[in-house]
Amino acid sequence: MSDATLPGDPPPAPEKPGATPSGRRAVAVWSIGVSVYFVAVIFRTSLGVAGLDAADRFHVGASALSTFSILQLLVYAGMQIPVGLLVDRLGTKKVLVIGTVLFTAGQLGFAFSPSYGTALASRALLGCGDAMTFISVLRLGTRWFPARRGPLVAQLAGLVGMAGNLVSTLVLARLLHGLGWTPAFAGSALAGVVVLVLTLLFLKDHPDGQEPEPVPHQGAAYVRRQIAAAWREPGTRLGLWVHFTTQFPAMVFLLLWGLPFLVQAQGLSRATAGELLTLVVLCNMVIGLVYGQIVARHHAARLPLALGTVGATAALWASTILWPGERAPMWLLVVLCAVLGACGPASMLGFDFARPANPPERQGTASGITNMGGFVASMTTLFAVGVLLDATGDDYSVAFSVVFVLQAVGVSQILRLRGRAARRERERLVASRVETVHVPV
């Protein structure tokens, strides 16, 4: 096995001439796909900087406000397995085109929504389109880059997504307060049109000569087999629980409740709160690069990084909401936001468990199952925080305590599955080595 092969991953089969995609063309094609994800994240997180404005515009309280994000994430999470199956069957380009049309229509509808109900429908449409982007980008990476680059490519995709979050925090927030609701959201929808055109004109599912074998149509039986086969792999289930446990604290903070918490509970100005949200995003981008490099070189670091991130997040979250006195000191809020920046990169490690556990024709389905984890956790937390805020008169210490419950559930499942997943990886590695040795030269 070469030095570049990741422990726990099957070594690559002997390659035909020109079989390994690389170079500028691979980067260019992948960049188009990841630009779609970039725009989807801008639209997804736009409510995070507009939460207080949305409450005023639609005259709703905390529970109703959280419903925007809950519905969006409910649609997103519910679409993950169907989208994974679609990507496996239709390919990346078709799914990305459909997704771009949907999330652009959702953002445009949100801009012109005259009522709470129509705004909810627009966010649901946005969530449906958003759900089609990340799994497609992961599949595109596996088609255009060697397997050993998988962890780094996935982390880079996550980094680009966080750059979209940064645009929401910095640019869209300024447009919202400078131009107003409708011009800001309608103007941002133009970005969806741009990436749609780029996708239609330039995106390719795979390098020339590397078209996969067509999958025969087998109806519901095919769907059941794909899902069942992916779920049977302990690595897929472990990936789901890693994603579940690591992603949601930062997602909840950035998507909706971070700004109200910092402004209402901690007494910060909107500008200062926005800077702290920006810090979360910047730390996410830096830590994502670090995690990607570490895992590419030391595959065994996946679980320690994930559990370490969960522990650090829980410790800082507890220190902040339990700080004696009315408000936590600024240095603690800064450290909290810096640590929350590790949640996104840690959630990407879930795909590094699912990817080697499944063959190429099942990657979309396995990624969809994994990707459900964090969004189910985020949706649950968003709802629980909103309900608890209304029930306790905006007591954020009580409301945010729900974070620890979901972290405890997730960690227990990770510890339960880690042994089985590790044994399966070792078995697959041995089998792959035997197959490689017997490949005729």
Side-chain angles (χ1 to χ4, degrees), residues 159-177:
L159 186 151
V160 172
M162 292 311 298
N165 201 328
L166 191 63
V167 170
S168 281
T169 304
L170 296 178
V171 179
L172 189 59
R174 291 174 182 265
L175 291 175
L176 184 64
H177 297 124

Side-chain angles (χ1 to χ4, degrees), residues 11-385:
E15 295 167 352
K16 303 172 185 177
T20 303
S22 60
R24 294 181 180 177
R25 191 177 183 205
V27 173
V29 172
W30 181 79
S31 297
I32 293 170
V34 84
S35 69
V36 177
Y37 178 55
F38 171 77
V39 174
V41 173
I42 294 176
F43 293 178
R44 178 201 303 169
T45 58
S46 58
L47 189 60
V49 297
L52 297 178
D53 299 87
D56 292 338
R57 179 180 177 86
F58 300 113
H59 310 292
V60 294
S63 296
L65 183 61
S66 68
T67 304
F68 278 123
S69 296
I70 291 167
L71 178 62
Q72 183 180 333
L73 293 184
L74 178 63
V75 172
Y76 187 105
M79 286 289 293
Q80 288 310 290
I81 292 178
V83 167
L85 292 164
L86 282 175
V87 171
D88 285 338
R89 179 156 190 85
L90 300 180
T92 299
K93 182 172 182 174
K94 291 179 181 178
V95 176
L96 279 179
V97 167
I98 296 170
T100 305
V101 171
L102 291 176
F103 69 62
T104 302
Q107 185 78 342
L108 196 61
F110 197 57
F112 292 99
S113 292
S115 66
Y116 178 68
T118 54
L120 275 178
S122 297
R123 295 307 285 188
L125 190 63
L126 192 157
C128 186
D130 181 19
M132 298 185 176
T133 58
F134 187 65
I135 294 175
S136 299
V137 171
L138 287 180
R139 175 63 175 265
L140 196 67
T142 64
R143 292 294 185 188
W144 281 92
F145 294 96
R148 66 180 182 272
R149 300 292 185 193
L152 183 57
V153 170
Q155 289 288 356
L156 286 173
L159 186 151
V160 172
M162 292 311 298
N165 201 328
L166 191 63
V167 170
S168 281
T169 304
L170 296 178
V171 179
L172 189 59
R174 291 174 182 265
L175 291 175
L176 184 64
H177 297 124
L179 301 177
W181 182 278
T182 298
F185 280 100
S188 67
L190 293 175
V193 178
V194 172
V195 295
L196 176 61
V197 172
L198 290 174
T199 302
L200 288 169
L201 293 179
F202 302 113
L203 189 74
K204 292 194 66 174
D205 283 349
H206 46 75
D208 295 333
Q210 298 300 308
E211 184 174 359
E213 292 292 328
V215 179
H217 180 67
Q218 301 173 27
Y222 164 76
V223 171
R224 287 194 297 269
R225 278 198 296 272
Q226 283 284 92
I227 296 173
W231 184 256
R232 276 196 300 269
E233 291 292 341
T236 304
R237 302 198 302 277
L238 179 59
L240 179 147
W241 285 108
V242 167
H243 199 269
F244 176 100
T245 313
T246 54
Q247 187 201 48
F248 79 92
M251 177 70 74
V252 168
F253 199 79
L254 289 171
L255 200 59
L256 185 60
W257 292 123
L259 187 69
F261 167 70
L262 294 172
V263 172
Q264 296 175 349
Q266 300 301 318
L268 302 182
S269 66
R270 282 198 179 204
T272 303
E275 290 171 358
L276 287 176
L277 295 180
T278 303
L279 176 63
V280 177
V281 177
L282 291 175
C283 288
N284 187 301
M285 297 170 72
V286 173
I287 295 170
L289 287 175
V290 174
Y291 278 18
Q293 292 287 355
I294 291 174
V295 175
R297 288 171 170 77
H298 308 286
H299 218 41
R302 293 170 299 173
L303 203 55
L305 285 175
L307 292 176
T309 301
V310 173
T313 303
L316 268 299
W317 203 276
S319 299
T320 301
I321 64 176
L322 297 176
W323 188 266
E326 292 186 3
R327 297 170 184 171
M330 178 58 72
W331 66 264
L332 182 57
L333 295 176
V334 169
V335 176
L336 171 67
C337 290
V339 171
L340 287 175
C343 291
S347 72
M348 300 299 295
L349 299 173
F351 298 101
D352 292 325
F353 289 101
R355 183 173 48 252
N358 293 273
E361 64 271 14
R362 214 164 57 219
Q363 288 294 318
T365 305
S367 296
I369 292 172
T370 300
N371 208 30
M372 284 180 61
F375 290 94
V376 169
S378 297
M379 177 179 62
T380 303
T381 308
L382 284 167
F383 175 74
V385 169

Side-chain angles (χ1 to χ4, degrees), residues 364-437:
T365 305
S367 296
I369 292 172
T370 300
N371 208 30
M372 284 180 61
F375 290 94
V376 169
S378 297
M379 177 179 62
T380 303
T381 308
L382 284 167
F383 175 74
V385 169
V387 170
L388 289 172
L389 284 175
D390 281 344
T392 60
D394 292 338
D395 188 332
Y396 282 90
S397 297
V398 174
F400 279 165
S401 64
V402 73
V403 169
F404 308 117
V405 177
L406 270 73
Q407 284 182 323
V409 171
V411 169
S412 67
Q413 293 301 312
I414 291 171
L415 296 178
R416 182 177 68 86
L417 289 165
R418 61 177 180 172
R420 274 179 274 178
R423 284 193 297 274
R424 284 286 291 154
E425 283 201 0
R426 287 195 296 270
E427 292 168 1
R428 192 176 297 107
L429 178 61
V430 171
S432 298
R433 283 173 170 169
V434 172
E435 290 176 6
T436 303
V437 168

